[in-house]
Amino acid sequence: MSTFTLEESRQWCHEVMRSAARNFYYGMSLLPEEKRHAMFALYAFMRHIDDIADSAVDSGTDKKTASEALEYWRRTTHEAMQGAELPHPMFASLRHTVRHFCIPMYLLDDAIEGQLMDMHLSRYGTFEELKRYCYCVASTVGIAAIHIWGYRDSEAISLAYDRGVAFQLTNILRDIREDYERGRIYLPQEDLERFGVD
């Protein structure tokens, strides 16, 4: 079983960010070194779980297989955080990030839950259900990020939560037609019924 040094892992996460998210990459490159490496690791984790879910949603890959892959990734991430040396280049940097910046593990778990929701739910009955989804796929990233950037007031966590929900709602509103054509309606059913939208 091969393992990766922290420097090798950081370089791998750097390449993931540089190749997959050029718009974020340049902004994140301006951060101080330790925070920059941490944001690259956080992005690499989120990109990986998103890719697993997208493979099922977009290409018709078996959802059971993708769900199992996400659950495997959840278990493996926990093992890595507990010190296990695993043959994936991301984990050394992610483990250092989580430990150094005290990022709660529930945020990584909830981010995985959001990907599972995206694979298995194509409708949301209430706004509260939709809000939970928005938190899982967007707010988790923001809350983890403020642990890296630093904050003094605990209200920052609730603000990061709300900002993530707002960002995801904006994505949903922007993509209504595209999502509908893919068989997905994120707008809550209770609101569609309330306003007479079939």
Side-chain angles (χ1 to χ4, degrees), residues 8-198:
E8 290 169 335
S9 181
R10 283 177 163 176
Q11 185 59 37
W12 186 88
C13 294
H14 175 266
E15 288 303 318
V16 169
M17 184 94 180
R18 188 172 65 83
S19 62
R22 295 187 75 80
N23 55 335
F24 292 134
Y25 172 74
Y26 291 110
M28 295 305 162
S29 295
L30 300 174
L31 290 170
E33 183 178 8
E34 191 72 28
K35 293 181 180 185
R36 180 172 68 244
H37 288 309
M39 288 303 299
F40 289 169
L42 179 63
Y43 177 84
F45 174 84
M46 297 298 179
R47 173 83 269 146
H48 186 75
I49 62 173
D50 190 56
D51 286 347
I52 293 172
D54 283 350
S55 71
V57 174
D58 294 336
S59 65
T61 303
D62 179 23
K63 289 183 181 179
K64 182 176 184 292
T65 301
S67 295
E68 289 170 353
L70 283 168
E71 291 300 345
Y72 169 79
W73 194 252
R74 184 197 309 268
R75 289 191 307 274
T76 304
T77 301
H78 277 267
E79 291 170 13
M81 295 310 110
Q82 292 165 9
E85 295 299 332
L86 299 166
H88 192 287
M90 179 195 317
F91 282 124
S93 187
L94 183 65
R95 177 170 52 227
H96 179 80
T97 295
V98 167
R99 289 178 175 177
H100 184 77
F101 292 102
C102 302
I103 296 174
M105 273 301 295
Y106 76 82
L107 293 172
L108 304 184
D109 286 336
D110 288 348
I112 290 173
E113 180 189 337
Q115 299 304 324
L116 289 165
M117 292 169 75
D118 223 10
M119 285 194 309
H120 298 290
L121 293 174
S122 59
R123 304 282 192 280
Y124 290 87
T126 67
F127 181 75
E128 286 307 309
E129 292 172 6
L130 179 62
K131 188 176 179 183
R132 172 68 183 172
Y133 166 74
C134 292
Y135 155 75
C136 287
V137 298
S139 299
T140 53
V141 181
I143 296 170
I146 66 169
H147 280 78
I148 294 169
W149 298 335
Y151 61 92
R152 290 186 292 274
D153 189 331
S154 61
E155 186 183 7
I157 293 177
S158 64
L159 293 172
Y161 178 105
D162 290 344
R163 181 178 170 200
V165 171
F167 279 158
Q168 191 60 30
L169 289 174
T170 301
N171 288 341
I172 287 167
L173 292 172
R174 180 195 65 199
D175 297 335
I176 288 176
R177 182 175 187 166
E178 178 185 335
D179 289 332
Y180 178 74
E181 290 169 352
R182 296 168 64 210
R184 311 184 71 77
I185 300 176
Y186 289 98
L187 300 178
Q189 295 299 299
E190 65 179 4
D191 290 334
L192 296 179
E193 292 169 8
R194 178 182 170 200
F195 292 104
V197 179
D198 63 20

